[in-house]
Amino acid sequence: MNNPIGNLNKLFDSRIRLGVMSVLMVNEEVSFNDLKQLLEVTDGNLASHLNTLEENGFLKVHKGFVGRKTNTTYSITKAGEKAFKSHLAALEHMIKFMQ
Amino acid sequence: MNEQQHLQTLSDIKRIMERSSRFISLSGLSGIWAGLSGLGGAWIAYSWLNSYYAAWDARGGYSDADYASLRLRLMLLAAGVLLVALAGGAYFTWRRARRNGLPIWDATSRKVLVNIGIPLAAGGLFILGLIYNNQVSLIAPSCLVFYGLALVNASKYTLTDIRYLGLAEIALGILNIFLLRRGIYFWTLGFGVLHIVYGMVMWWKYERKTREIAN
């Protein structure tokens, strides 16, 4: 039997990264500002976590414009969805395993 | 990491998923307020209709001027009731959002408004068309059906219970179209009574507990 802790994704140890993934799982496309408001984080903090998730291929970035302002939106990738689901499954498994 | 932390993480995930996709601050008190405004409006309309028919009987016939005045007053009354209902409804929902420390204007409230707005705007224009064509007996059923469709449409982005209110409004509207000329009773039931019942159920289900904790 493999160790359930092994299925927990290290990337999702961060509450902010886990929060971003949770939002993107249930919303097709979310803007930077909406993410910031939902997770109550600063611009710089959020940007660095988004970068990490993008580098790992868990989310797609779309750069657009609303008038003259840039409007960056994010959506989840297939790989991101898969990683998030197995992370959830591992969490659930560990709770059952411990009871 | 222990079990407690994992459970906490799972409930955080659930909360964030819900908060990011649904507008959950809609207050039951908003529904009760809308229902009371509806009942008040219906009562005024009812008394106007009574005096209109009393004057008709006294005169022994139809009067163009009387009809035009009644129609104008009823349209203004409907607009007034809508305004009062919306303002009070917005206030109670704003209050609930503030209490829970949630934003009132975010992506989810925008989605609710847009999705209520599309069927409602279509209904409004449709009903203006009915008035233009003097099909006044069709106004009440059309109000109920379009409003119900708007609620069903918006239920994807807010508390799902509002779907049942929407379905009930649609059913009333359909029933009304087969029992024409009793529009005011259906209107009172749909916009007054149903809103109050819905608001009380919602308040009991979602807001009663948080208030106890706050006290």
Side-chain angles (χ1 to χ4, degrees):
Chain A
M1 199 187 147
N2 54 4
N3 176 8
I5 301 174
N7 290 329
L8 283 180
N9 198 319
K10 270 264 172 258
L11 264 176
F12 299 147
D13 277 353
S14 147
R15 289 173 70 88
I16 295 170
R17 287 199 282 265
L18 197 63
V20 169
M21 295 302 281
S22 309
V23 174
L24 294 182
M25 279 298 282
V26 289
N27 291 282
E28 238 172 89
E29 225 177 316
V30 184
S31 74
F32 187 88
N33 285 331
D34 285 337
L35 278 174
K36 198 175 89 174
Q37 193 184 29
L38 275 163
L39 302 170
E40 292 162 356
V41 284
T42 60
D43 280 26
N45 201 355
L46 179 60
S48 84
H49 285 302
L50 287 171
N51 263 335
T52 315
L53 288 171
E54 192 194 354
E55 279 161 16
N56 282 275
F58 287 176
L59 54 81
K60 274 181 296 209
V61 185
H62 319 267
K63 286 201 181 338
F65 284 89
V66 175
R68 272 191 209 165
K69 276 176 138 181
T70 54
N71 179 44
T72 312
T73 59
Y74 301 85
S75 58
I76 201 163
T77 61
K78 281 265 182 302
E81 226 176 293
K82 212 177 138 198
F84 186 80
K85 278 182 183 159
S86 61
H87 184 75
L88 273 193
L91 278 174
E92 275 171 21
H93 184 94
M94 287 188 65
I95 290 164
K96 275 184 209 147
F97 182 73
M98 283 166 166
Q99 270 167 354
Chain B
M1 286 269 251
N2 58 34
E3 187 190 338
Q4 208 52 47
Q5 278 170 306
H6 291 320
L7 279 173
Q8 184 59 44
T9 308
L10 281 177
S11 81
D12 280 351
I13 290 171
K14 197 179 155 227
R15 190 179 52 85
I16 283 192
M17 282 179 163
E18 228 171 57
R19 236 190 80 183
S20 68
S21 57
R22 287 179 187 279
F23 182 69
I24 52 172
S25 299
L26 202 61
S27 171
L29 298 178
S30 298
I32 297 177
W33 175 262
L36 291 175
S37 321
L39 281 186
W43 184 73
I44 296 173
Y46 189 75
S47 67
W48 285 353
L49 283 169
N50 270 344
S51 55
Y52 171 77
Y53 286 115
W56 175 313
D57 287 344
R59 196 188 311 111
Y62 166 84
S63 147
D64 255 344
D66 253 28
Y67 177 75
S69 138
L70 176 72
R71 196 170 73 164
L72 181 67
R73 274 183 294 148
L74 285 178
M75 279 168 71
L76 290 176
L77 176 68
V81 168
L82 183 67
L83 221 69
V84 169
L86 282 179
Y91 167 72
F92 287 116
T93 290
W94 169 78
R95 204 178 64 155
R96 184 172 176 208
R98 195 190 47 175
R99 235 178 227 165
N100 296 339
L102 294 175
I104 182 139
W105 188 241
D106 64 358
T108 58
S109 55
R110 275 198 296 277
K111 273 187 207 160
V112 170
L113 282 184
V114 167
N115 283 283
I116 277 196
I118 294 169
L120 223 49
L125 293 173
F126 185 87
I127 288 161
L128 280 180
L130 290 179
I131 295 171
Y132 176 74
N133 288 303
N134 249 326
Q135 302 293 323
V136 285
S137 57
L138 300 179
I139 293 175
S142 310
C143 282
L144 289 164
V145 168
F146 278 106
Y147 180 59
L149 289 172
L151 293 184
V152 168
N153 200 38
S155 69
K156 283 166 271 177
Y157 304 105
T158 181
L159 303 169
T160 45
D161 312 76
I162 209 165
R163 190 182 185 82
Y164 300 108
L165 176 63
L167 291 173
E169 302 280 4
I170 295 172
L172 266 183
I174 302 280
L175 200 62
N176 188 187
I177 201 111
F178 289 100
L179 297 165
L180 279 182
R181 302 191 190 286
R182 291 182 188 83
I184 187 141
Y185 301 112
F186 283 93
W187 209 95
T188 308
L189 212 59
F191 289 101
V193 178
L194 277 188
H195 274 137
I196 294 176
V197 171
Y198 163 83
M200 291 201 290
V201 171
M202 287 301 97
W203 187 83
W204 189 260
K205 195 169 163 189
Y206 296 110
E207 287 160 77
R208 180 176 49 107
K209 276 187 207 135
T210 51
R211 180 151 314 185
E212 274 165 13
I213 293 163
N215 280 346

